[in-house]
Amino acid sequence: MIIPPKHDYVTNPFVNTNQELKELKGELDEEKAKISLAKFLRANLGFTCEMISGITLAKYQELVINCLFLCNYSMLIFSRGAAKTFLAAIFCYLYCIFNPNTKIIVAGPTFRTARFIFNKIDEIVNSKSAELLEQCMPVKGRSRRNDVYEWEINGGKIMAIPLAGEKVRGFRANILIIDEANWVDKDMIEKVLMPFLVSPQNLGDILKQKEIEDELIKDGKLKEEDRTSNSSNIKMILLSSAGYTFEYLYTLYSSWLNKINGAEETPENIKYFVAQLAWNALPPEMMDKTVIEEAAKGGNISSSFKMEYGAQFCDGSDSYYNAKKMEECTLHVGEYPHTLLRGNPNKKYVLSIDP
């Protein structure tokens, strides 16, 4: 199931770039030819991807990448094997090519998770059919350190970071991708990761534009209500399989669906996108049936199969101890009662806890 974003296209018909280009007549000078080519490539991301990297996208993949381009908040709840990481890697380099100075941060519950998307980009760039992409992302712009992987592209960069330590708080970007989002807790997403997205990518242009419009309003040549409306270019993309309904990811999922369907109010220039894709909705050639048969041995109606392959959120588990009941009985950080340790104020202690 793919729920499209609530979009201006409802009231303003979608501009058919291909039709516009088809109606061009005569010869184009070099500048107009370059602009026309850029418009065509942007309007046909599947063609662009194949041309620069040799990868042919399935129709659903092209649709999803287009929605990631359009929307500020996107969530992909996909079955295992539905190519979430692959799509994220392709989105990263395509978006940076069409949007100069873009900074993308890729994070996950472990540094290994974040590096996986980065390494997938590396694998694509180094493939034999990606000569044009390699020119956009020269290897000399790539660096791998213990605390961050970086790749410079088109004035911006793609960064894979670990979610550990205080250093993580110093990063800034205008696009945040969180892989395996169901394993990243609420506080990490809301208090550490989302503050990365504080500054719009084109802040300098916005400030300059505001200054010009301030002068026009002062001279009586422009009305306050006629100021230019700047749409947000900040994006957060969550990638995950489904989880339990009592977990934070489901709370976000439900809220975003309500916003898409108009049940919750959203700012006019903010767009949401949720894609939910089960194994049996994929093109047949993309999923090995033997894998599904093996996974379904415990029953294809089991909660684990529904979450991992059916992309469905579940209330509880099939184990002897129900996951929802265990969660309800669990004490969370800051809740009472808890253990209070006391010691001699004149001594120093080393505390070790075996989890």
Side-chain angles (χ1 to χ4, degrees), residues 253-268:
Y253 164 85
S254 301
S255 174
W256 291 12
L257 287 188
N258 287 336
K259 289 171 180 174
I260 290 169
N261 294 321
E264 288 185 29
E265 192 172 340
T266 59
E268 188 176 343

Side-chain angles (χ1 to χ4, degrees), residues 341-351:
L341 299 178
R342 294 184 182 275
N344 187 326
N346 298 319
K347 294 181 181 285
K348 291 184 178 180
Y349 298 86
V350 174
L351 177 63

Side-chain angles (χ1 to χ4, degrees), residues 53-79:
S53 55
I55 292 171
T56 303
L57 296 175
K59 292 299 181 185
Y60 87 90
Q61 294 174 328
E62 188 174 352
L63 172 62
V64 167
I65 289 176
N66 269 290
C67 288
L68 296 182
F69 264 70
L70 287 171
C71 299
N72 304 94
Y73 293 92
S74 301
M75 184 182 296
L76 307 186
I77 305 298
F78 280 11
S79 159

Side-chain angles (χ1 to χ4, degrees), residues 29 64-65 73 78 81 108 117 125 127-128 132 135 149 160 178 193 195 214 221 227 233 245 249 255 293 312 328:
D29 61 37
V64 167
I65 289 176
Y73 293 92
F78 280 11
I117 291 177
V125 171
S127 63
K128 291 182 179 179
L132 291 177
Q135 293 175 37
Y149 280 18
I178 305 177
L193 294 176
D214 285 344
K221 296 178 181 178
R227 281 186 182 274
N233 62 357
T245 54
L249 183 66
S255 174
E293 290 168 1
Q312 299 176 54
E328 290 171 351

